[in-house]
């Protein structure tokens, strides 16, 4: 009898890796559609373009390694990486942002470590952090939701802005952003961080049209639909509940403590849970089976660490959302977490 040693990810269900990854992509569709509804067709354009770029890089690197690109594309890991990066960046980001990001995700963060099952860090989050640090202007150029904008961007304008830098009327993205009702900070997290830095209180900041609802116009619905997609994955047993529960508990408890300490200057726990990329991070990013902790207790600690870091980075860091940084820092801690949470060997005293 032959004894085979397989690399991660390991699953308890009799499903292939390609099926698991395809289910992850399908469960993200409700959130993607919500993001498209509120921020325009740029989201769908970015998703389709990112998938093509990811498949291209995956094929080229597999050919360079002397392996079959068809087999690599069938596992759908490149598809999920492209999907996560495309919905994490602003919908009207220039095309080269996607290309650079996916180069780092597919070639550097994934294949330089050995390919599927060998990467130490979540590839999409590595790409996002590299882009955010290198191109902060492009990576924070979100528009206001189309429903409260006096100049919503249509599909053809979105296509033109992404691939040429200008809309059909010759206006750049920066000109469009500064001309939308005087609102240049498109995300609630951005608005809160900037307003608090300028000495405003939350009650003053909440007068902005961006703050209708519990977590900012449109963002709570995007998070709710990613939550629904995550619950579907739990129902289908694509993921387990430990990491999402840890992330959401970490976000809630950390934000609750900070909110009690300074209620007028920090966002409420509900605001933290349903703004930014909280639900996307909890269910679709942190649950990466390769770069996450492997023990049950370790997964709870891993998720809780991510949740706490998200709130801490949002509150005290230099960036409005801390999901990507929190995930990568937690990835660094995985060997230590697994070491101290591994089950005791049977018979060992």
């Amino acid at each position: 009898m032959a004894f085979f040693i397989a690399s991660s990810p390991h699953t308890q269900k009799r499903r292939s890796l390609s099926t698991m990854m395809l289910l992850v992509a399908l469960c993200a569709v409700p959130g993607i559609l919500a993001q498209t509804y509120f921020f325009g067709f740029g989201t769908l354009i970015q998703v389709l373009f990112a998938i093509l770029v990811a498949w291209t890089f995956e094929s080229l690197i597999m050919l360079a390694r002397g392996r079959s690109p068809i087999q690599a594309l069938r596992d759908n890991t490149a598809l999920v990486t492209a999907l996560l990066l495309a919905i994490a960046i602003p919908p009207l980001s220039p095309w080269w942002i996607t290309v650079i990001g996916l180069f780092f995700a597919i070639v550097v963060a994934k294949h330089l470590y050995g390919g599927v099952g060998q990467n130490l860090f979540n590839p999409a989050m590595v790409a996002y952090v590299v882009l955010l640090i290198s191109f902060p202007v492009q990576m924070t150029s979100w528009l206001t939701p189309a429903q409260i904008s006096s100049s919503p961007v249509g599909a053809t304008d979105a296509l033109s802005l992404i691939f040429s830098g200008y809309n059909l009327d010759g206006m750049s993205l920066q000109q469009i952003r500064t001309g939308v009702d005087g609102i240049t900070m498109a995300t609630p997290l951005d608005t809160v961080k900037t307003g608090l830095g300028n000495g405003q209180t939350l009650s003053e900041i909440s007068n902005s049209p961006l703050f209708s609802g519990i977590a900012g116009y449109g963002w709570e619905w995007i998070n709710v639909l990613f939550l629904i997609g995550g619950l579907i994955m739990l129902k289908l047993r694509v993921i387990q509940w430990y990491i999402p529960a840890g992330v959401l508990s970490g976000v809630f408890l950390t934000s609750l403590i900070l909110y009690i300490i300074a209620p007028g200057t920090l966002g409420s726990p509900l605001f933290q849970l349903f703004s930014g990329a909280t639900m996307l991070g909890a269910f679709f990013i942190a649950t990466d089976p390769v770069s996450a902790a492997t023990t049950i207790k370790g997964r709870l600690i891993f998720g809780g660490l991510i949740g706490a870091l998200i709130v801490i980075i949002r509150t005290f860091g230099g960036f409005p959302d801390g999901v990507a940084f929190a995930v990568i820092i937690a990835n660094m801690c995985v060997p230590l977490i697994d070491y101290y949470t591994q089950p005791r060997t049977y018979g060992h005293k």
Side-chain angles (χ1 to χ4, degrees):
M1 294 178 62
F3 180 72
F4 296 97
I5 299 177
S7 63
S8 56
H10 307 289
T11 63
Q12 301 298 319
K13 299 285 288 182
R14 290 187 176 182
R15 289 193 182 121
S16 65
L17 176 61
S18 61
T19 301
M20 299 287 283
M21 292 297 101
L22 183 59
L23 287 172
V24 171
L26 291 175
C27 289
V29 169
I32 294 173
L33 292 178
Q35 190 166 314
T36 302
Y37 175 77
F38 287 106
F39 292 102
F41 286 96
T43 299
L44 289 181
I45 295 171
Q46 294 285 4
V47 166
L48 295 175
F49 180 62
I51 291 172
L52 291 176
V53 173
W55 282 347
T56 300
F57 280 135
E58 185 82 5
S59 299
L60 291 176
I61 197 68
M62 291 303 289
L63 288 172
R65 296 179 64 186
R67 300 184 180 183
S68 169
I70 302 299
Q71 188 64 33
L73 294 179
R74 284 177 179 170
D75 65 24
N76 290 322
T77 55
L79 170 68
V80 171
T81 299
L83 203 66
L84 293 177
L85 182 62
I87 57 182
I89 65 176
L92 299 180
S93 300
W95 63 270
W96 48 267
I97 286 286
T98 303
V99 173
I100 293 173
L102 286 170
F103 174 82
F104 275 93
I106 301 295
V107 178
V108 178
K110 180 181 177 181
H111 283 285
L112 285 188
Y113 284 91
V116 176
Q118 307 298 323
N119 50 287
L120 301 179
F121 305 101
N122 186 293
M125 293 301 96
V126 169
Y128 183 87
V129 168
V130 168
L131 292 173
L132 186 60
I133 295 174
S134 304
F135 311 102
V137 174
Q138 288 80 6
M139 289 295 290
T140 54
S141 296
W142 288 80
L143 292 178
T144 52
Q147 290 72 21
I148 60 174
S149 170
S150 61
S151 303
V153 177
T156 53
D157 277 332
L159 191 65
S160 181
L161 281 164
I162 291 170
F163 291 102
S164 73
Y166 298 91
N167 67 2
L168 298 180
D169 295 325
M171 295 178 64
S172 67
L173 178 59
Q174 189 60 30
Q175 289 174 316
I176 294 173
R177 291 185 73 228
T178 56
V180 179
D181 299 333
I183 305 171
T184 57
M185 293 299 177
T187 69
L189 290 172
D190 247 336
T191 305
V192 168
K193 181 170 287 292
T194 304
L196 293 176
N198 293 332
Q200 294 179 289
T201 63
L202 280 179
S203 60
E204 294 172 333
I205 297 171
S206 61
N207 292 327
S208 167
L210 294 174
F211 282 87
S212 60
I214 61 174
Y217 190 91
W219 285 97
E220 66 267 27
W221 288 109
I222 293 172
N223 275 275
V224 164
L225 287 172
F226 277 125
L227 170 61
I228 291 173
L231 293 176
I232 293 173
M233 287 197 294
L234 288 174
K235 178 67 175 177
L236 297 176
R237 297 189 179 182
V238 175
I239 60 174
Q240 294 179 313
W241 64 269
Y242 310 110
I243 293 176
V247 173
L248 298 183
S249 297
V251 170
F252 180 81
L253 292 175
T254 306
S255 59
L256 179 63
I257 293 170
L258 293 176
Y259 188 70
I260 292 173
I261 295 173
T265 58
L266 297 172
S268 69
L270 277 179
F271 174 78
Q272 296 289 350
L273 283 171
F274 289 96
S275 62
T278 304
M279 295 300 171
L280 176 66
F283 289 95
F284 293 90
I285 297 173
T287 53
D288 173 26
V290 177
S291 57
T294 57
T295 65
I296 293 177
K297 187 185 297 183
R299 288 170 183 167
L300 290 169
I301 296 172
F302 175 79
L305 176 62
I306 291 174
L309 287 172
I310 288 172
V311 177
I312 292 170
I313 294 171
R314 285 176 176 178
T315 305
F316 304 107
F319 297 98
D321 203 351
V323 172
F325 291 98
V327 169
I328 289 179
I329 293 171
N331 289 158
M332 295 179 186
C333 299
V334 163
L336 186 67
I337 294 172
D338 281 345
Y339 179 80
Y340 283 105
T341 60
Q342 59 185 331
R344 184 177 294 271
T345 305
Y346 180 74
H348 179 76
K349 294 184 179 179

